[in-house]
C-alpha cells in the first residue's frame, strides 16, 4: 500500500528531486530542512512546488509540495513516512535532532549514501529512547546528476538500477523495499545494512580521481570533465583498487560479491555495457561528461570533505574491526589529510561514533539484524 | 689514483669527467646491454663536459674492456647506477676489488646496505665503502658522450659503511667534491633522498596529466601546487622523524637542502622556496605509461619502501609514505613492497632502533 503523505528532510538536489517525484505521484509532500539550509525552500513555498526536469522527459514540470518547514524536528511528528536525503555529514546532526520526536510506527528512509540509519540508532541510544521504528538506508541516490539549478528548480536523471535498500532490523527490508518501489521501481534489497553501506560508488570513484589529479585541479579555475580528463589508465587502476578493498570488506562480513564497481556503472545506466577495461568503461560512460570545478578550493569540495571522512574513514574503521587490510583507502585518507592539513580520521565517521567499536564481525552482523545494539 | 666509474648515465659521465680533471686516471664501464651508451666516448676518447666550473672540451676517459678488469685495476670504484641495479653490480664488483680499495655509491643512497654484507661474506672489510645521498651535480645528457653538469653548492651528504671510517672517506671525497658534507651514518644518506621526497607526491597527484598529455610537462612548475607541496612536506617530515628516531642530530629539512644545493633562494617556506627555485622550470616527459612509471618506480621501491620498513621496525608511523606506496602500487599494478628494498631483504629483520644504528656504526649486528 502506497503512503498518502511523506515528509522529505533536506534541501539539496537529492531531497528536492525525491520530493518532486513523490509530489508528481500524488503524495502530499512536506519538505523541511534546518533553518541554516532552508533558504532554498522559500521559492518552493512561494510557487507551491518544485520545478523539476527529469532528463528522460526533457521538460520542466511543477511538482506539487503541500508546504515547507524549517523545523524538521516538529515537521516529522505524526508522519508515517519520513525520507531524509542530506549529505553524510548531516546524518548524525539530523538524527540527533529527530531523535527526540521520532515515534512508534514511523518509517524513516535515509536516501543517498548509507549510514543514516546507523546514526539514528546511535542518536536514540544516547537519548535512551527506543521507539518502534522501521529504519532503512539506500546505498546511493536513485538519481544521477541531481542538482538545484536555481531556487525552486531541480534537474536530475533517474537511474535504472544499482539502488539497494536495507532496513534496520534486516527483517523489515522486504517490506521497505516494496514501499520504496512505489517511487523507484528498480530498488533492490541489500542483504543487510552493511551491504548498502559498502556499495558506495562515490567513495570508490571520487577521492581516488581527485587526489591523483590534485596538481591539475588546483591550478585550473575552469570546470573540467573530471573523469574524461582525469581517469587515465593508471588512475582507473587506483579506482579499481579502492573497489577491490570494498569488495574485501563485504567478503569479510560474509556478503556475497557478485558485482564490482564496473558492473554497477552498467546497472545504474551510466554506460550500456562494460568495455575492455575499467578505463575504457569509464571513458564511455556518463561519468566522462561530469563537470568539476575545483581550483584552489579543490580540497574543500564534497568529493573530499564528505567522501574522505564519512566514507573512506568509515571503511578504514570497519577494516580495522574486521582485520582486513585496506592500504589504498588508508593511503587516500593520509594523502587527503596531509594535502588539506585536516585530520580527516579525527573528524570522520567511525564504528566508535556509532557505539559499535569492538563488536567484532559477529557483533556487527547481529547489530544490523536486530536493528539495535 | 686509478679510478673506474660504473654507469654510463649523465651522473656517471659527470663524475668521470670530474675525476679526470682532478688528475686521476679514469675508466668508465657499464653492463653489456647498456654499453652502447659508451660508444661515443670510445670514439672521441673521452667525455664532452659542458659545466659551470670549467671550459668545454673533451676529458680523456677510457672505456673499460670489462667491469672485472677495470675494478681489479682501480684504487677508487664509483658506482652511479639506478638503485635497482645495485645488487647486480655488487655481485660484479666484489670479487675483483683491490686490497684497500675505496668504493663509493654516488647518487641516491642505500647501495652500501646491499654491498656491506657481501664484503663481509667475502672477508673484505679492508675495502673503504661509502655512499652519497644524491648526485653532486645537476646533470643531464647533452648528446652522445657528452654531459651538461653543474656542481651543487652543498646538500651532498656522504657516509661510510661502517661509520667508523667516515673521516677516512671524507678526506678522499673532499679532494674530489669539496662541498660534500659528512652524514652521521648511511641511514641519513639513505633517508635524505630528494627524489623520493619531491618527485613521488607530484607524480601521484599529476598522474593523469603525466600519462595523457603528450610532449612533456613542467613537472614541478605545473604540479607543485600548494596542497601538493604540503604532501612533499609530509613525506619529508616522516623521513625526518625516522632520522630523529634513529638518533641523528641533523634537523635540516628538504627545504633547507634545496637552498643548500643551490637550487633555490632562501626566501620563505617550502612553497615559496620551490616556486622561486629552478625546479619549476624542469621539464619531464609525459604522454604514456612510462612517463608515470619512470617518476615513481625507483623512488617508491628503493627509498619509500625502505623508509616504511624502517618505521615498522622502530615503531614510527609513516602513513603518508605508506599511502604513496599503496597508491603507486595500485596505479602501476606493481608490488613495490615485494620487489623493493626492505630491512628483511637487507638481512636486518628483527633489529630494533638501537640494533639498526649499531649496525651502521660498527658494521656488525649484536648477534
Amino acid at each position: 500500500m502506497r503512503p498518502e503523505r511523506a515528509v522529505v528532510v533536506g534541501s539539496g538536489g537529492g531531497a528536492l528531486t525525491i520530493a518532486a517525484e513523490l509530489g508528481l505521484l500524488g503524495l502530499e509532500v512536506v519538505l523541511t530542512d534546518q533553518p541554516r539550509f532552508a533558504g532554498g525552500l522559500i521559492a518552493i513555498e512561494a510557487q507551491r512546488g518544485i520545478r523539476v526536469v527529469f532528463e528522460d522527459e526533457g521538460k520542466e514540470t511543477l511538482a506539487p509540495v503541500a508546504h515547507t518547514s524549517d523545523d524538521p524536528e516538529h515537521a516529522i511528528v505524526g508522519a508515517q513516512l519520513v525520507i531524509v536525503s542530506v549529505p553524510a555529514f548531516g546524518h548524525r546532526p539530523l538524527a540527533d535532532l529527530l531523535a527526540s520526536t521520532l515515534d512508534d510506527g514511523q518509517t524513516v528512509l535515509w536516501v543517498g549514501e548509507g549510514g543514516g540509519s546507523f546514526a539514528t540508532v546511535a542518536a536514540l541510544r544516547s537519548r535512551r529512547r527506543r521507539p518502534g521504528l522501521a529504519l532503512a538506508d539506500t546505498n546511493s541516490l536513485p538519481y544521477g546528476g541531481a542538482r538545484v539549478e536555481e531556487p525552486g528548480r531541480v534537474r536530475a536523471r533517474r537511474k535504472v538500477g544499482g539502488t539497494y535498500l536495507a532496513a534496520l532490523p534486516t527483517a523489515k527490508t522486504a517490506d521497505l523495499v516494496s514501499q520504496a518501489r512505489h517511487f523507484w521501481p528498480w530498488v533492490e534489497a541489500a542483504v543487510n545494512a552493511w551491504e548498502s553501506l559498502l556499495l558506495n560508488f562515490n567513495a570508490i570513484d571520487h577521492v581516488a580521481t581527485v587526489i591523483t589529479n590534485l596538481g591539475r585541479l588546483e591550478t585550473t579555475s575552469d570546470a573540467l570533465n573530471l573523469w574524461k580528463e582525469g581517469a587515465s589508465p593508471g588512475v582507473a587502476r587506483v579506482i579499481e583498487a579502492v573497489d577491490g578493498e570494498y569488495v574485501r570488506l563485504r567478503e569479510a562480513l560474509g556478503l556475497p560479491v557478485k558485482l564490482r564497481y564496473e558492473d554497477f556503472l552498467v546497472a545504474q545506466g551510466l554506460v550500456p555495457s562494460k568495455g575492455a577495461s575499467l578505463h575504457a568503461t569509464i571513458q564511455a560512460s556518463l561519468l566522462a561528461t561530469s563537470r568539476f570545478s575545483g581550483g584552489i578550493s579543490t580540497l574543500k569540495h564534497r568529493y573530499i570533505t564528505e567522501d574522505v571522512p564519512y566514507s573512506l574513514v568509515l571503511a578504514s574503521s570497519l577494516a580495522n574491526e574486521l582485520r582486513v587490510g585496506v592500504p589504498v583507502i588508508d593511503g587516500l585518507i593520509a594523502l587527503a589529510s596531509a594535502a588539506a592539513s585536516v585530520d580527516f580520521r579525527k573528524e570522520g565517521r567511525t564504528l566508535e561514533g556509532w557505539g559499535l567499536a569492538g563488536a567484532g564481525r559477529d557483533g556487527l552482523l547481529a547489530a544490523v539484524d536486530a536493528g539495535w545494539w | 689514483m686509478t679510478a673506474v666509474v660504473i654507469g654510463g648515465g649523465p651522473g656517471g659521465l659527470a663524475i668521470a669527467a670530474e675525476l679526470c680533471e682532478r688528475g686521476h686516471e679514469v675508466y668508465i664501464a657499464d653492463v653489456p646491454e647498456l654499453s652502447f651508451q659508451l660508444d661515443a666516448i670510445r670514439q672521441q676518447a673521452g667525455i664532452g663536459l659542458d659545466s659551470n666550473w670549467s671550459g668545454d672540451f673533451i676529458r680523456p676517459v677510457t672505456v673499460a674492456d670489462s667491469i672485472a678488469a677495470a675494478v681489479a685495476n682501480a684504487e677508487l670504484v664509483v658506482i652511479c647506477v639506478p638503485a635497482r641495479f645495485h645488487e647486480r653490480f655488487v655481485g660484479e664488483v666484489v670479487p675483483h676489488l683491490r686490497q684497500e680499495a675505496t668504493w663509493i655509491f654516488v647518487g641516491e643512497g642505500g647501495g652500501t646496505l646491499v654491498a656491506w654484507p657481501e664484503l663481509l661474506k667475502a672477508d673484505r672489510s679492508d675495502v673503504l665503502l661509502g655512499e652519497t645521498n644524491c648526485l653532486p651535480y645537476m646533470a643531464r645528457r647533452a648528446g652522445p658522450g657528452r654531459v651538461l653538469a653543474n656542481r651543487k653548492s652543498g646538500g651532498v651528504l656522504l657516509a661510510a659503511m661502517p661509520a667508523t671510517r667516515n673521516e677516512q672517506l671524507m678526506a678522499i671525497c673532499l679532494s674530489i667534491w669539496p662541498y660534500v658534507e659528512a652524514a652521521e651514518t648511511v641511514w641519513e644518506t639513505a633517508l635524505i633522498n630528494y627524489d623520493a621526497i619531491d618527485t613521488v607526491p607530484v607524480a601521484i597527484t599529476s598522474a593523469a596529466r603525466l600519462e595523457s598529455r603528450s610532449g612533456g610537462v613542467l613537472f614541478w612548475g605545473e604540479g607543485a601546487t600548494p596542497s601538493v607541496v604540503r604532501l612533499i612536506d609530509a613525506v619529508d617530515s616522516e623521513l625526518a622523524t625516522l632520522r630523529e628516531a634513529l638518533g641523528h642530530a641533523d634537523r635540516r629539512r628538504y627545504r633547507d637542502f634545496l637552498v643548500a644545493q643551490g637550487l633555490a633562494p632562501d626566501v620563505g617556506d617550502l612553497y615559496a622556496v620551490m616556486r622561486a627555485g629552478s625546479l619549476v622550470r624542469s621539464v619531464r616527459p609525459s604522454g604514456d605509461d612510462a612517463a608515470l612509471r619512470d617518476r615513481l618506480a625507483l623512488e617508491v621501491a628503493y627509498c619509500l619502501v625502505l623508509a616504511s620498513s624502517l618505521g615498522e621496525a622502530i615503531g614510527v608511523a609513516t602513513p603518508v609514505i605508506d599511502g604513496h606506496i599503496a597508491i603507486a602500487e595500485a596505479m602501476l599494478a606493481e608490488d613495490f613492497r615485494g620487489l623493493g628494498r626492505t630491512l628483511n631483504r637487507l638481512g636486518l629483520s628483527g633489529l630494533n632502533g638501537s640494533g639498526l644504528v649499531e649496525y651502521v656504526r660498527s658494521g656488525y649486528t649484536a648477534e
Side-chain angles (χ1 to χ4, degrees):
Chain A
M1 193 181 68
R2 204 184 72 188
E4 291 172 357
R5 194 167 167 272
V7 176
V8 176
V9 184
S11 54
L16 263 52
T17 309
I18 293 165
E21 184 93 83
L22 270 56
L24 290 173
L25 287 168
L27 277 78
E28 182 191 332
V29 175
V30 174
L31 186 61
T32 179
D33 204 347
Q34 298 175 79
R36 64 195 161 113
F37 301 121
L41 302 185
I42 296 167
I44 295 168
E45 182 71 38
Q47 70 199 20
R48 285 301 198 186
I50 296 164
R51 290 180 291 137
V52 62
V53 181
F54 285 108
E55 283 175 13
D56 51 330
E57 295 166 358
K59 62 175 171 41
E60 181 184 298
T61 315
L62 183 70
V65 169
H67 68 268
T68 64
S69 154
D70 64 0
D71 182 4
E73 188 181 357
H74 293 100
I76 64 160
V77 171
Q80 195 203 334
L81 175 63
V82 177
I83 298 180
V84 191
S85 184
V86 296
F89 46 74
H91 284 176
R92 186 58 191 262
L94 261 179
D96 283 330
L97 189 66
L98 304 183
S100 57
T101 53
L102 281 171
D103 214 342
D104 291 341
Q106 287 186 299
T107 294
V108 184
L109 294 184
W110 293 81
V111 180
E113 294 175 33
S117 294
F118 292 86
T120 309
V121 172
L124 290 169
R125 273 165 46 94
S126 69
R127 284 186 179 254
R128 302 182 185 286
R129 291 191 68 224
R130 193 178 177 180
L133 302 175
L135 293 169
D137 280 355
T138 63
N139 66 316
S140 82
L141 206 60
Y143 307 101
R147 63 181 189 277
V148 180
E149 294 188 312
E150 58 185 82
R153 178 182 158 101
V154 69
R155 171 185 290 270
R157 179 176 41 75
R158 290 187 181 100
K159 290 184 181 170
V160 296
T163 310
Y164 290 83
L165 183 144
L168 293 180
T170 307
K172 292 190 179 171
T173 297
D175 179 41
L176 294 186
V177 166
S178 66
Q179 284 197 45
R181 281 184 179 159
H182 291 305
F183 319 129
W184 311 292
W186 61 90
V187 168
E188 298 172 64
V191 173
N192 59 33
W194 293 118
E195 188 175 45
S196 48
L197 192 69
L198 292 170
L199 295 176
N200 185 328
F201 312 131
N202 291 346
I204 293 166
D205 63 21
H206 285 175
V207 183
T209 313
V210 171
I211 291 297
T212 52
N213 286 281
L214 194 51
R216 167 90 178 274
L217 297 172
E218 237 185 354
T219 49
T220 314
S221 50
D222 303 335
L224 50 78
N225 292 318
L226 181 60
W227 284 280
K228 181 177 177 22
E229 297 180 53
S232 61
V235 172
R237 283 192 291 271
V238 180
I239 294 173
E240 205 158 20
V242 175
D243 178 46
E245 294 183 353
Y246 270 92
V247 165
R248 285 210 285 285
L249 289 172
R250 278 144 64 196
E251 286 172 343
L253 283 162
L255 297 163
V257 176
K258 299 188 197 81
L259 300 176
R260 295 282 304 255
Y261 168 77
E262 193 177 5
D263 304 298
F264 287 117
L265 289 180
V266 179
Q268 293 175 89
L270 295 173
V271 63
S273 61
K274 287 204 278 186
S277 64
L278 178 58
H279 169 252
T281 306
I282 289 175
Q283 291 306 328
S285 78
L286 288 175
L287 278 181
T289 65
S290 176
R291 306 286 285 172
F292 182 95
S293 300
I296 202 68
S297 305
T298 295
L299 291 169
K300 295 193 168 75
H301 194 281
R302 273 180 62 183
Y303 286 8
I304 297 294
T305 57
E306 180 177 3
D307 293 316
V308 175
Y310 291 91
S311 301
L312 297 188
V313 167
L314 179 65
S316 180
S317 158
L318 252 179
N320 191 40
E321 187 73 27
L322 297 167
R323 300 179 190 288
V324 173
V326 289
V328 180
I329 288 174
D330 287 340
L332 290 170
I333 296 169
L335 265 65
S337 298
S341 293
V342 174
D343 187 348
F344 286 122
R345 276 191 190 275
K346 195 172 160 198
E347 72 168 46
R349 183 163 65 172
T350 60
L351 290 180
E352 195 174 12
W354 286 343
L356 284 167
R361 174 186 184 271
D362 294 345
L364 294 176
L365 292 171
V368 295
D369 284 347
W372 194 258
W373 50 91
Chain B
M1 282 192 292
T2 305
V4 59
V5 177
I6 299 174
L13 266 55
I15 294 163
E18 171 103 65
L19 286 168
C20 184
E21 218 166 87
R22 302 271 178 197
H24 304 294
E25 184 185 348
V26 186
Y27 294 81
I28 190 162
D30 211 326
V31 286
E33 63 264 35
L34 290 177
S35 61
F36 66 89
Q37 297 194 101
L38 306 177
D39 289 347
I41 299 171
R42 190 179 286 111
Q43 280 160 21
Q44 68 198 21
I47 291 170
L49 174 71
D50 182 0
S51 73
N52 65 346
W53 71 83
S54 179
D56 186 356
F57 54 89
I58 303 276
R59 270 69 174 175
V61 167
T62 309
V63 177
D65 293 333
S66 74
I67 290 176
V71 169
N73 187 40
E75 291 152 276
L76 173 66
V77 177
V78 176
I79 293 198
C80 184
V81 299
R84 65 170 171 276
F85 295 122
H86 281 168
E87 285 182 34
R88 171 171 172 187
F89 281 106
V90 166
E92 300 215 17
V93 165
V94 169
H96 309 290
L97 285 163
R98 276 171 64 155
Q99 200 64 24
E100 299 189 359
T102 299
W103 179 15
I104 325 170
F105 289 83
V106 179
E108 295 175 43
T112 60
L113 293 164
V114 179
W116 178 251
E118 299 305 315
L119 286 178
L120 280 187
K121 263 186 236 166
D123 198 19
R124 291 301 312 274
S125 58
D126 59 288
V127 172
L128 175 56
L129 175 69
E131 68 181 33
T132 65
N133 69 320
C134 66
L135 273 183
Y137 316 96
M138 297 303 289
R140 64 184 163 83
R141 191 176 296 285
R146 184 174 165 78
V147 63
L148 175 66
N150 290 326
R151 282 180 184 151
K152 291 182 180 172
S153 54
V156 184
L157 307 181
L158 176 84
M161 175 68 203
T164 46
R165 301 189 72 181
N166 276 352
E167 280 185 31
Q168 203 184 347
L169 185 70
M170 271 302 284
I172 292 171
C173 289
L174 279 172
S175 74
I176 307 167
W177 305 289
Y179 47 94
V180 290
E181 304 172 48
E184 277 183 65
T185 74
V186 295
W187 289 129
E188 267 185 341
T189 48
L191 293 173
I192 303 178
N193 182 318
Y194 307 134
D195 286 349
I197 295 167
D198 67 20
T199 302
V200 176
V202 176
I204 294 274
T205 53
S206 292
R209 177 160 53 197
L210 280 168
E211 252 186 311
S212 310
R213 192 210 287 169
S214 56
V217 295
L218 287 166
F219 188 75
W220 291 278
E222 295 176 83
T225 63
S227 67
V228 174
V229 170
R230 284 194 288 274
L231 282 181
I232 291 173
D233 200 40
V235 170
D236 178 48
S237 168
E238 291 182 357
L239 292 170
T241 304
L242 288 170
R243 283 148 52 201
E244 189 176 348
L246 289 168
H248 296 85
D250 193 342
R251 293 284 177 275
R252 283 179 295 172
R253 295 286 303 269
Y254 170 72
R255 178 210 167 279
D256 309 313
F257 288 118
L258 266 184
V259 175
Q261 288 174 92
L263 299 179
D266 191 357
V267 290
D269 65 6
L270 176 59
Y271 182 75
V273 165
M274 288 190 77
R275 297 315 302 187
S278 56
L279 284 180
V280 293
R281 295 191 294 275
S282 289
V283 175
R284 291 291 178 274
S286 68
D288 58 16
D289 178 65
L292 189 55
R293 186 172 299 270
D294 289 351
R295 298 282 80 73
L296 286 173
L298 269 187
E299 285 73 17
V300 171
Y302 291 90
C303 178
L304 296 189
V305 164
L306 177 62
S308 176
S309 131
L310 259 175
E312 202 181 341
I314 65 177
V316 171
T318 54
V320 179
I321 287 174
D322 294 349
H324 281 94
I325 296 169
I327 294 167
E329 288 187 327
M331 197 173 263
L332 297 171
E334 290 279 6
D335 177 11
F336 289 126
R337 283 187 188 273
L339 61 86
R341 190 172 277 162
T342 59
L343 291 183
N344 188 37
R345 272 193 98 153
L346 295 170
L348 300 173
S349 55
L351 294 180
N352 61 13
S354 53
L356 290 166
V357 172
E358 173 61 22
Y359 174 66
V360 295
R361 288 195 192 281
S362 72
Y364 297 93
T365 56
E367 294 117 53

